[in-house]
Amino acid sequence: MSVDRPVALDEYPIHQAPLSMKHLVSGDRNAYDRCIFHVFDHAGRFVLILGLGVYPNAGVIDAYATLRIGDELLAVRASDALTDDRMNLSVGPLSITVDAPLRQLTLRCAADPGDPDGLSYDVTWTAGFPAVWEPHHVQRRGDRLMLEGRRFVQAGGVGGTIRAKGEEFRLDPGEWTGTRDRSWGVRPIPGEDGARAAEEYRPEGFHWLWIPVRFEDRFVVVVAQEDADGHRTLNEAVQVFPEDSGRRDVQLGWPHTDIRYRSGSRHPVSAVVHLTDPARKPLELGVEILNSSPLAVGAGYPPATDWQHGTWQGRGWTDRRVYDLSDPAAHPMAAYGVTDHSARFTLDGRVGHGIFEHGSFGRHDPSGFADYSSVAP
């Protein structure tokens, strides 16, 4: 039996309940606390996605990194037993160091000595704008709480190096952008028995957009989640300015999005997000897709079949592999997961760069999709 003692975090006056910081108030097995970073160039050559998660009631810590380069996706994943040192954000070759909270973080993936052509990186992520809260995110199936998350999003610049396929790529802050998302709460991990809720409340459709965009003088965030009939269950559109600007965040109305899909698919090629400023002036956020990385391939998001977040893989598990994305048929489940697209954006004469995260599954009446097999004409 392990000895239950205070942990280092208990020294700080940050407790939210009469418990040690090693324990959660909730005993839900699906409790999680994790992050995701997007690092991408403005020419559309590279998309680096990485993240780290802690699952306290499952006793698991894991991390991943994927690099889309050409038609290949290089992936590194690691998982281990969670320890009491919650300040140590590292597992296997992957680590995140908080140099200055909400301002600067260092992202690293150590090289594999046995694979000189494999993925490694040393990246400094620096905030360009304040972090902003996203709407409180709640999903239920019947009376069963499936997801409840507190989230914030932020955009910034990146510098450092990425090494892959025997080459080293330097990140010029003027030609690269970084966005990130932090969330914690409850989110299903594999092994959840949905029982009656899964059987009787199977969703007919789900439509999701998460769009953080960095412009030189502002940061725009759009979030929209809709049911099969287009009913909006999550909504946000906000414009954020640098901390030293003295300007408040500006809400941009109720976003509506027109998406042009690649024929025979639900893969977006371009889009226009219709926004409204406080004076009711219409604004159009134009979207041009540059590169794409499906989260169900390599990154551990459902419905990935080879590894998903929060699953126990044993102590010291590390996995590296390369996926061929030239043939979509080789990864059929990717179409039923969310895909992160790096994109060039335009807004009121400005040009910016960000992520167009998109997922559309099953029926979605506003898009003209009748069921899970429907695709764009």
Side-chain angles (χ1 to χ4, degrees):
M1 178 182 295
S2 62
V3 178
D4 186 9
R5 299 191 188 279
V7 298
L9 278 175
D10 289 325
E11 287 280 20
Y12 299 89
I14 55 177
H15 296 82
Q16 300 295 309
L19 295 169
S20 167
M21 290 301 294
K22 71 182 291 184
H23 300 303
L24 296 184
V25 174
S26 170
D28 194 315
R29 71 180 293 273
N30 295 310
Y32 81 104
D33 198 330
R34 74 187 191 205
C35 60
I36 184 172
F37 289 80
H38 300 85
V39 176
F40 48 94
D41 71 308
H42 299 170
R45 293 184 61 203
F46 309 95
V47 180
L48 174 67
I49 302 177
L50 62 104
L52 182 145
V54 166
Y55 306 84
N57 294 334
V60 171
I61 179 172
D62 55 32
Y64 65 92
T66 64
L67 177 69
R68 174 73 187 263
I69 175 170
D71 284 331
E72 291 188 332
L73 190 75
L74 284 63
V76 181
R77 296 88 69 84
S79 179
D80 211 335
L82 182 63
T83 71
D84 289 343
D85 186 1
R86 302 300 168 80
M87 304 288 281
N88 180 13
L89 304 180
S90 65
V91 55
L94 299 160
S95 68
I96 298 172
T97 303
V98 181
D99 304 312
L102 301 176
R103 294 186 181 276
Q104 182 174 297
L105 301 98
T106 299
L107 319 171
R108 293 189 177 96
C109 176
D112 179 0
D115 182 12
D117 292 339
L119 173 63
S120 65
Y121 54 80
D122 192 328
V123 175
T124 300
W125 191 101
T126 304
F129 299 87
V132 60
W133 291 114
E134 297 178 31
H136 194 65
H137 197 176
V138 177
Q139 285 183 263
R140 295 181 183 273
R141 284 189 183 176
D143 295 329
R144 175 74 168 95
L145 179 67
M146 301 302 296
L147 184 151
E148 183 174 13
R150 174 81 278 191
R151 311 164 67 100
F152 68 75
V153 60
Q154 196 171 21
V158 291
T161 56
I162 298 173
R163 300 171 187 85
K165 302 182 71 62
E167 294 188 66
E168 180 174 286
F169 307 99
R170 298 199 63 82
L171 280 58
D172 182 337
E175 299 175 1
W176 290 70
T177 288
T179 62
R180 72 177 184 125
D181 184 84
R182 272 284 283 123
S183 68
W184 56 92
V186 174
R187 185 169 181 161
I189 59 177
E192 171 71 9
D193 180 7
R196 177 193 165 203
E199 181 65 29
E200 296 188 3
Y201 297 97
R202 193 179 304 277
E204 290 185 74
F206 176 81
H207 189 81
W208 167 259
L209 290 171
W210 177 77
I211 311 171
V213 189
R214 182 190 183 194
F215 295 93
E216 183 176 353
D217 63 343
R218 65 199 62 201
F219 172 43
V220 174
V221 181
V222 176
V223 183
Q225 177 180 299
E226 295 181 350
D227 292 338
D229 58 4
H231 178 76
R232 190 73 59 89
T233 54
L234 198 69
N235 185 84
E236 181 69 296
V238 64
Q239 193 165 233
V240 181
F241 300 95
E243 285 185 313
D244 59 4
S245 70
R247 302 180 65 180
R248 291 190 59 182
D249 298 350
V250 175
Q251 295 176 320
L252 297 177
W254 188 271
H256 291 280
T257 307
D258 295 322
I259 302 176
R260 183 169 68 88
Y261 291 99
R262 186 172 62 205
S263 179
S265 76
R266 297 198 193 185
H267 183 95
V269 175
S270 63
V272 176
V273 184
H274 300 277
L275 305 168
T276 308
D277 75 4
R280 299 186 180 181
K281 172 190 172 183
L283 296 173
E284 290 190 351
L285 180 65
V287 185
E288 176 192 353
I289 301 300
L290 300 176
N291 206 336
S292 306
S293 188
L295 294 182
V297 180
Y301 284 79
T305 56
D306 55 357
W307 171 71
Q308 287 192 29
H309 304 150
T311 56
W312 176 240
Q313 303 295 319
R315 292 179 180 269
W317 177 79
T318 300
D319 178 72
R320 291 176 180 259
R321 62 182 65 195
V322 177
Y323 298 88
D324 181 1
L325 298 184
S326 62
D327 180 9
H331 308 286
M333 298 308 294
Y336 298 97
V338 168
T339 296
D340 285 352
H341 309 272
S342 66
R344 180 181 295 110
F345 293 82
T346 55
L347 178 69
D348 208 16
R350 298 173 179 84
V351 176
H353 295 84
I355 293 295
F356 188 81
E357 182 174 277
H358 170 269
S360 183
F361 327 117
R363 180 168 67 87
H364 187 238
D365 295 345
S367 300
F369 298 132
D371 53 33
Y372 278 88
S373 65
S374 296
V375 292

Coordinates of all heavy atoms in Angstrom, one line a residue, residues 175-222:
E175 N 7.2 34.1 -39.9 CA 6.7 33.2 -40.9 C 5.9 32.0 -40.3 O 5.5 31.2 -41.0 CB 7.8 32.8 -41.8 CG 8.5 33.9 -42.6 CD 9.7 33.4 -43.4 OE1 9.9 32.2 -43.4 OE2 10.3 34.3 -44.0
W176 N 5.9 32.0 -39.0 CA 5.2 30.9 -38.3 C 4.2 31.5 -37.2 O 4.4 32.6 -36.7 CB 6.2 30.0 -37.5 CG 7.0 29.2 -38.5 CD1 8.0 29.6 -39.3 CD2 7.0 27.8 -38.6 NE1 8.6 28.6 -40.0 CE2 8.0 27.4 -39.6 CE3 6.2 26.7 -38.0 CZ2 8.2 26.1 -39.9 CZ3 6.5 25.4 -38.4 CH2 7.4 25.1 -39.3
T177 N 3.2 30.7 -36.9 CA 2.3 31.1 -35.8 C 2.0 29.9 -34.9 O 2.2 28.8 -35.3 CB 0.9 31.6 -36.5 OG1 1.1 32.8 -37.1 CG2 -0.2 31.7 -35.4
G178 N 1.7 30.2 -33.6 CA 1.4 29.2 -32.7 C 0.1 29.5 -32.0 O -0.1 30.7 -31.6
T179 N -0.8 28.6 -31.8 CA -2.0 28.7 -31.0 C -2.0 27.6 -30.0 O -1.3 26.6 -30.2 CB -3.3 28.6 -31.9 OG1 -3.4 27.4 -32.5 CG2 -3.3 29.7 -32.9
R180 N -2.8 27.8 -29.0 CA -2.9 26.7 -28.0 C -4.2 26.8 -27.3 O -4.9 27.8 -27.3 CB -1.8 26.8 -26.9 CG -1.9 28.0 -25.9 CD -0.8 27.9 -24.9 NE -0.9 28.9 -23.9 CZ -0.9 28.7 -22.6 NH1 -0.8 27.4 -22.2 NH2 -0.9 29.6 -21.7
D181 N -4.6 25.6 -26.7 CA -5.8 25.5 -26.0 C -5.6 24.7 -24.7 O -4.8 23.7 -24.7 CB -6.9 24.7 -26.8 CG -8.2 24.6 -26.2 OD1 -9.0 25.6 -26.3 OD2 -8.5 23.6 -25.5
R182 N -6.1 25.1 -23.5 CA -5.9 24.4 -22.3 C -7.3 24.1 -21.8 O -8.2 24.9 -21.8 CB -5.3 25.3 -21.2 CG -3.8 25.2 -21.2 CD -3.2 23.9 -20.5 NE -3.3 24.0 -19.0 CZ -4.0 23.1 -18.3 NH1 -4.7 22.1 -18.9 NH2 -4.0 23.2 -17.0
S183 N -7.5 22.8 -21.3 CA -8.8 22.5 -20.8 C -8.7 21.4 -19.7 O -7.7 20.7 -19.7 CB -9.7 21.9 -22.0 OG -9.2 20.7 -22.5
W184 N -9.7 21.4 -18.9 CA -9.8 20.4 -17.8 C -11.2 20.2 -17.4 O -12.1 21.0 -17.6 CB -8.9 20.9 -16.6 CG -9.3 22.2 -16.0 CD1 -10.1 22.5 -15.0 CD2 -8.8 23.5 -16.5 NE1 -10.2 23.8 -14.8 CE2 -9.4 24.5 -15.6 CE3 -7.9 23.9 -17.5 CZ2 -9.1 25.8 -15.8 CZ3 -7.6 25.2 -17.6 CH2 -8.2 26.2 -16.8
G185 N -11.5 19.0 -16.8 CA -12.8 18.7 -16.4 C -13.1 17.2 -16.6 O -12.3 16.4 -16.1
V186 N -14.1 16.9 -17.3 CA -14.5 15.5 -17.6 C -14.7 15.3 -19.1 O -15.4 16.1 -19.7 CB -15.8 15.1 -16.9 CG1 -16.3 13.7 -17.2 CG2 -15.7 15.2 -15.3
R187 N -14.1 14.3 -19.6 CA -14.1 14.0 -21.1 C -13.9 12.5 -21.3 O -13.0 11.9 -20.7 CB -13.0 14.8 -21.8 CG -13.1 14.7 -23.3 CD -12.1 15.7 -23.9 NE -12.1 15.7 -25.3 CZ -11.7 16.7 -26.1 NH1 -11.2 17.8 -25.5 NH2 -11.7 16.7 -27.4
P188 N -14.8 11.8 -22.1 CA -14.7 10.4 -22.1 C -13.3 9.9 -22.6 O -12.7 10.4 -23.5 CB -15.8 10.0 -23.2 CG -16.7 11.2 -23.2 CD -15.8 12.4 -22.9
I189 N -12.8 8.9 -21.9 CA -11.7 8.1 -22.3 C -12.1 6.7 -22.6 O -13.2 6.3 -22.1 CB -10.5 8.1 -21.2 CG1 -11.0 7.5 -19.9 CG2 -10.0 9.5 -21.0 CD1 -9.9 7.4 -18.9
P190 N -11.4 6.0 -23.5 CA -11.9 4.6 -23.9 C -12.2 3.8 -22.7 O -11.5 3.8 -21.6 CB -10.7 4.1 -24.7 CG -10.1 5.3 -25.3 CD -10.2 6.4 -24.2
G191 N -13.2 2.9 -22.8 CA -13.6 2.0 -21.8 C -14.9 2.5 -21.1 O -15.4 1.7 -20.2
E192 N -15.3 3.7 -21.4 CA -16.6 4.1 -20.8 C -17.8 3.3 -21.3 O -17.9 3.0 -22.5 CB -16.8 5.6 -21.2 CG -18.2 6.2 -20.9 CD -18.3 6.4 -19.4 OE1 -17.3 6.3 -18.6 OE2 -19.5 6.7 -18.9
D193 N -18.6 2.8 -20.4 CA -19.8 2.1 -20.7 C -21.0 3.0 -20.8 O -21.4 3.5 -19.7 CB -20.0 1.0 -19.6 CG -21.3 0.1 -19.9 OD1 -21.8 0.3 -21.0 OD2 -21.6 -0.7 -19.1
G194 N -21.4 3.3 -22.0 CA -22.5 4.3 -22.1 C -23.8 3.7 -21.7 O -24.8 4.5 -21.5
A195 N -24.0 2.4 -21.7 CA -25.2 1.7 -21.3 C -26.4 2.3 -22.0 O -26.4 2.5 -23.2 CB -25.3 1.7 -19.8
R196 N -27.5 2.6 -21.3 CA -28.7 3.1 -21.9 C -28.5 4.4 -22.6 O -29.1 4.6 -23.7 CB -29.8 3.3 -20.8 CG -31.1 3.9 -21.3 CD -32.0 4.4 -20.2 NE -33.0 5.2 -20.7 CZ -33.7 6.1 -20.0 NH1 -33.4 6.3 -18.8 NH2 -34.6 6.9 -20.6
A197 N -27.7 5.3 -22.1 CA -27.4 6.6 -22.7 C -26.9 6.4 -24.1 O -27.3 7.1 -25.1 CB -26.5 7.5 -21.9
A198 N -25.9 5.5 -24.3 CA -25.3 5.3 -25.6 C -26.3 4.6 -26.5 O -26.3 4.8 -27.7 CB -24.1 4.4 -25.4
E199 N -27.2 3.8 -26.0 CA -28.1 3.0 -26.8 C -29.3 3.9 -27.3 O -29.7 3.9 -28.4 CB -28.6 1.8 -26.1 CG -29.6 0.9 -26.9 CD -28.9 0.3 -28.1 OE1 -27.7 0.0 -28.0 OE2 -29.7 0.0 -29.1
E200 N -29.8 4.7 -26.4 CA -31.1 5.4 -26.6 C -30.9 6.8 -27.1 O -31.8 7.5 -27.5 CB -32.0 5.3 -25.4 CG -32.5 3.9 -25.1 CD -33.5 3.9 -24.0 OE1 -33.9 5.0 -23.5 OE2 -33.9 2.8 -23.6
Y201 N -29.7 7.4 -26.9 CA -29.4 8.8 -27.2 C -28.3 8.9 -28.1 O -27.4 9.8 -28.0 CB -29.2 9.6 -25.9 CG -30.3 9.6 -24.9 CD1 -30.4 8.7 -23.9 CD2 -31.4 10.5 -25.1 CE1 -31.5 8.7 -23.0 CE2 -32.5 10.5 -24.3 CZ -32.5 9.6 -23.2 OH -33.6 9.6 -22.3
R202 N -28.2 8.0 -29.1 CA -27.2 8.1 -30.1 C -27.4 9.3 -31.0 O -28.5 9.5 -31.6 CB -27.2 6.8 -31.0 CG -25.9 6.6 -31.9 CD -26.1 5.3 -32.6 NE -26.3 4.2 -31.8 CZ -25.3 3.6 -31.1 NH1 -24.0 4.0 -31.3 NH2 -25.6 2.5 -30.4
P203 N -26.4 10.2 -31.1 CA -26.6 11.5 -31.9 C -26.8 11.2 -33.4 O -26.1 10.4 -33.9 CB -25.4 12.3 -31.6 CG -24.3 11.3 -31.2 CD -25.1 10.2 -30.5
E204 N -27.8 11.9 -34.0 CA -28.0 11.8 -35.4 C -26.9 12.5 -36.2 O -26.5 12.2 -37.3 CB -29.3 12.4 -35.8 CG -30.5 11.7 -35.4 CD -31.8 12.3 -35.9 OE1 -32.0 12.2 -37.1 OE2 -32.5 13.0 -35.2
G205 N -26.3 13.6 -35.6 CA -25.3 14.3 -36.2 C -24.6 15.3 -35.3 O -25.1 15.7 -34.2
F206 N -23.4 15.8 -35.7 CA -22.6 16.7 -34.9 C -21.8 17.5 -35.8 O -21.2 17.0 -36.7 CB -21.8 15.8 -33.9 CG -20.8 16.7 -33.1 CD1 -21.3 17.2 -31.9 CD2 -19.5 16.8 -33.5 CE1 -20.4 18.0 -31.1 CE2 -18.6 17.5 -32.7 CZ -19.1 18.1 -31.5
H207 N -21.8 18.8 -35.5 CA -21.0 19.8 -36.4 C -20.2 20.7 -35.5 O -20.8 21.3 -34.6 CB -22.0 20.6 -37.3 CG -21.3 21.4 -38.3 ND1 -20.9 20.9 -39.5 CD2 -21.0 22.7 -38.3 CE1 -20.4 21.9 -40.2 NE2 -20.4 23.0 -39.5
W208 N -18.9 20.8 -35.7 CA -18.0 21.5 -34.8 C -17.0 22.4 -35.6 O -16.4 22.0 -36.6 CB -17.2 20.5 -34.0 CG -16.1 21.0 -33.2 CD1 -14.7 20.9 -33.6 CD2 -16.1 21.7 -32.0 NE1 -14.0 21.5 -32.6 CE2 -14.8 22.0 -31.6 CE3 -17.1 22.0 -31.1 CZ2 -14.4 22.7 -30.4 CZ3 -16.8 22.7 -29.9 CH2 -15.5 23.0 -29.6
L209 N -16.9 23.6 -35.1 CA -15.9 24.5 -35.6 C -15.2 25.2 -34.4 O -15.8 25.7 -33.5 CB -16.5 25.6 -36.4 CG -17.1 25.2 -37.8 CD1 -17.8 26.3 -38.4 CD2 -15.9 24.7 -38.7
W210 N -13.8 25.2 -34.4 CA -13.0 25.9 -33.4 C -12.0 26.7 -34.2 O -11.1 26.0 -34.9 CB -12.4 24.9 -32.4 CG -11.5 25.5 -31.4 CD1 -11.9 26.2 -30.3 CD2 -10.1 25.4 -31.4 NE1 -10.7 26.6 -29.6 CE2 -9.6 26.1 -30.2 CE3 -9.1 24.8 -32.3 CZ2 -8.3 26.2 -29.9 CZ3 -7.8 25.0 -31.9 CH2 -7.4 25.7 -30.8
I211 N -12.0 28.0 -34.1 CA -11.2 28.8 -35.1 C -10.4 29.9 -34.3 O -11.0 31.0 -34.1 CB -12.1 29.4 -36.1 CG1 -13.0 28.4 -36.8 CG2 -11.2 30.1 -37.2 CD1 -14.1 29.0 -37.7
P212 N -9.2 29.7 -33.9 CA -8.3 30.7 -33.4 C -7.5 31.3 -34.5 O -6.8 30.6 -35.2 CB -7.5 30.0 -32.3 CG -7.4 28.6 -32.9 CD -8.6 28.3 -33.8
V213 N -7.5 32.6 -34.6 CA -6.8 33.3 -35.7 C -5.9 34.5 -35.1 O -6.5 35.3 -34.4 CB -7.8 33.9 -36.7 CG1 -7.0 34.4 -38.0 CG2 -8.8 32.8 -37.1
R214 N -4.7 34.5 -35.5 CA -3.8 35.6 -35.1 C -3.6 36.6 -36.2 O -3.1 36.2 -37.3 CB -2.5 35.0 -34.6 CG -1.5 36.1 -34.1 CD -0.1 35.6 -33.9 NE 0.8 36.7 -33.4 CZ 2.1 36.6 -33.4 NH1 2.7 35.5 -33.8 NH2 2.8 37.6 -32.9
F215 N -4.0 37.8 -36.0 CA -3.6 38.9 -36.9 C -2.6 39.7 -36.1 O -2.3 39.5 -35.0 CB -4.9 39.8 -37.1 CG -5.9 39.1 -37.9 CD1 -7.0 38.5 -37.3 CD2 -5.9 39.1 -39.3 CE1 -8.0 37.8 -38.0 CE2 -6.9 38.5 -40.1 CZ -7.9 37.8 -39.4
E216 N -2.0 40.7 -36.9 CA -0.9 41.4 -36.3 C -1.3 42.2 -35.0 O -0.6 42.3 -34.0 CB -0.3 42.4 -37.3 CG 0.9 43.2 -36.8 CD 1.5 44.1 -37.8 OE1 1.1 44.0 -39.0 OE2 2.5 44.8 -37.5
D217 N -2.6 42.8 -35.1 CA -3.0 43.6 -34.0 C -4.2 43.1 -33.2 O -4.7 43.8 -32.4 CB -3.4 45.0 -34.6 CG -4.5 45.0 -35.6 OD1 -4.9 43.8 -36.0 OD2 -5.1 46.0 -35.8
R218 N -4.6 41.9 -33.5 CA -5.8 41.3 -32.8 C -5.8 39.8 -32.9 O -5.2 39.2 -33.8 CB -7.1 41.9 -33.3 CG -7.4 41.6 -34.7 CD -8.4 42.6 -35.3 NE -7.9 44.0 -35.3 CZ -8.6 45.1 -35.3 NH1 -9.9 45.0 -35.3 NH2 -8.0 46.3 -35.3
F219 N -6.6 39.2 -32.0 CA -6.7 37.7 -32.0 C -8.2 37.5 -32.1 O -9.0 38.0 -31.2 CB -6.1 37.2 -30.7 CG -6.3 35.7 -30.5 CD1 -6.2 34.8 -31.5 CD2 -6.6 35.3 -29.2 CE1 -6.4 33.4 -31.2 CE2 -6.8 34.0 -28.9 CZ -6.7 33.0 -29.9
V220 N -8.7 36.7 -33.0 CA -10.1 36.4 -33.2 C -10.3 34.9 -32.9 O -9.6 34.0 -33.3 CB -10.5 36.7 -34.6 CG1 -12.0 36.2 -34.8 CG2 -10.4 38.2 -34.9
V221 N -11.4 34.6 -32.1 CA -11.7 33.3 -31.7 C -13.2 33.0 -32.1 O -14.1 33.8 -31.7 CB -11.6 33.0 -30.2 CG1 -11.9 31.6 -29.9 CG2 -10.1 33.3 -29.8
V222 N -13.5 32.0 -32.8 CA -14.8 31.6 -33.2 C -15.0 30.1 -32.8 O -14.2 29.3 -33.1 CB -15.1 31.7 -34.7 CG1 -16.5 31.2 -35.0 CG2 -15.0 33.2 -35.1

